[in-house]
Amino acid sequence: MPALQLLNDLKTMTQQHLQYAEHLMQQSEAKLNSRVSEDSWSVLECLEHLNRYGNFYIPEINRRITSSKTSSATDFKPGILGNYFAESMLPKEKLNAMKTFKSMNPINSQLDKNVVQEFIRQQKEWVELLEKAKNVNLNKIKTNISISKLIKLKLGDTFRFVIYHNTRHISQAKKIIAL
């Protein structure tokens, strides 16, 4: 896949996430905190979950891009593990439930619209990082992942994983609000 096309596609997705979050600012906190069931997440919990991942990945990716000596590659070839992680994040017709790590689970947190504002701020940072990534090699730069110091993914796969993960939970949030 052409690297530039991947980055542009991910940037488009991120801009859609940003627009959706800006729309959420018009909703009441009560609506954003409501849940479908006792053990499901509210819209704010979905976004808080994503913010927690952003808190790890944004500095990690920024550090890797900034310290990189590579020049951009024309094509991006997903790694086996990175592709598996990224593809598993894409929302399916019926969203398959996944376990999350305790540190990333925001259930029963006291949340307000600051969560949405932080998510908006992070989406703007993602757009900037995707722009910066146009000047580096998405295949050669490796990033740590949040669940293990032993596994590193190609930068292109890390972007795909995080942004697909955002898409997954934005999709979940849309279903919660629609109910």
Side-chain angles (χ1 to χ4, degrees):
M1 165 183 283
L4 206 53
Q5 181 189 337
L6 172 65
L7 292 170
N8 286 331
D9 289 350
L10 293 173
K11 184 177 170 183
T12 298
M13 293 170 89
T14 302
Q15 287 167 328
Q16 290 167 347
H17 300 157
L18 176 59
Q19 287 173 335
Y20 181 69
E22 287 168 343
H23 159 76
L24 288 176
M25 288 302 290
Q26 298 161 14
Q27 303 294 324
S28 70
E29 279 187 4
K31 188 166 188 173
L32 296 176
N33 269 309
S34 67
R35 290 200 188 119
V36 178
S37 67
E38 185 76 21
D39 57 348
S40 67
W41 286 354
S42 69
V43 170
L44 289 179
E45 287 167 335
C46 289
L47 295 186
E48 173 62 16
H49 173 70
L50 297 177
N51 288 345
R52 292 178 186 189
Y53 275 95
N55 289 339
F56 174 83
Y57 284 104
I58 290 170
E60 171 66 13
I61 290 171
N62 194 29
R63 189 169 46 253
R64 300 297 175 165
I65 290 174
T66 304
S67 65
S68 173
K69 307 281 187 267
T70 69
S71 57
S72 60
T74 51
D75 285 326
F76 172 69
K77 186 177 182 328
I80 294 168
L81 192 58
N83 194 51
Y84 170 78
F85 283 147
E87 294 290 323
S88 72
M89 285 300 118
L90 283 170
K92 317 277 185 294
E93 194 60 45
K94 182 184 183 322
L95 203 60
N96 50 325
M98 291 182 153
K99 286 277 184 214
T100 192
F101 292 91
K102 200 172 190 70
S103 64
M104 297 298 184
N105 190 341
I107 198 154
N108 297 323
S109 302
Q110 293 298 309
L111 303 173
D112 58 30
K113 282 190 181 176
N114 288 328
V115 170
V116 183
Q117 289 171 330
E118 173 62 12
F119 184 77
I120 289 169
R121 188 192 65 72
Q122 285 191 9
Q123 296 318 291
K124 290 176 181 174
E125 280 193 68
W126 284 116
V127 169
E128 287 176 28
L129 288 172
L130 289 163
E131 276 302 312
K132 282 185 187 175
K134 290 178 180 178
N135 302 315
V136 297
N137 190 318
L138 301 179
N139 296 301
K140 291 213 163 86
I141 296 176
K142 303 281 195 268
T143 65
N144 287 323
I145 64 170
S146 60
I147 60 170
S148 172
K149 296 265 187 260
L150 303 174
I151 302 169
K152 291 195 184 319
L153 297 181
K154 293 178 179 186
L155 177 60
D157 283 330
T158 304
F159 272 128
R160 290 172 64 230
F161 167 78
V162 173
I163 293 167
Y164 293 175
H165 183 236
N166 288 354
T167 300
R168 173 187 193 81
H169 288 290
I170 291 291
S171 193
Q172 181 183 6
K174 286 178 178 175
K175 287 179 181 164
I176 296 165
I177 286 271
L179 295 172

